[in-house]
């Protein structure tokens, strides 16, 4: 995969080569009055503008992290119950408190 830096360099080189190619094209007869220097200057300026636009740093905003919204969970209803149970180890009835949830 091409990383961003090498892609920017490749794009800038391609834009510069394209601008120099258009600047070096033969001048048509209608443009002969301006001369070859005007075409060369226009190609260089166009290449500089395109290359500058491609290499300009991008202004990105601060990253925004979207946290999930609040989730409402209905808690189970719990209560304590005291009851008498038979304890085989002790051999008698004992009172215990248990938590019962519905």
């Amino acid at each position: 995969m091409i990383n961003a830096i090498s892609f920017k360099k490749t794009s800038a080189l391609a834009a510069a080569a394209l601008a120099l190619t258009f600047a070096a094209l033969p001048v048509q007869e209608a443009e002969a009055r301006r001369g070859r220097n005007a075409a060369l200057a226009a190609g260089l300026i166009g290449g500089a503008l395109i290359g500058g636009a491609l290499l300009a740093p991008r202004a990105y905003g601060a990253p925004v992290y979207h946290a999930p919204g609040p989730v409402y969970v209905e808690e189970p209803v719990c209560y304590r119950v005291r009851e008498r149970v038979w304890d085989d180890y002790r051999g008698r009835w004992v009172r215990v408190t248990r938590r019962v949830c519905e």
Side-chain angles (χ1 to χ4, degrees), residues 16-80:
L18 186 64
L20 287 175
T21 302
F22 281 119
L25 285 177
V27 179
Q28 294 178 358
E29 291 182 21
E31 296 175 343
R33 287 178 287 197
R34 294 185 186 162
R36 189 169 177 90
N37 292 336
L40 179 63
L44 290 176
I45 291 172
L49 289 175
I50 292 172
L54 290 174
L55 292 178
R58 304 291 187 253
Y60 295 114
V64 178
Y65 301 104
H66 297 285
V71 177
Y72 299 101
V73 178
E74 191 173 319
E75 296 283 329
V77 178
C78 296
Y79 54 92
R80 296 195 176 269

Side-chain angles (χ1 to χ4, degrees), residues 79-84 95-101:
Y79 54 92
R80 296 195 176 269
V81 175
R82 288 192 64 180
E83 54 188 13
R84 291 178 59 197
R95 287 205 177 258
V96 295
T97 304
R98 294 192 181 173
R99 184 176 174 199
V100 178
C101 295

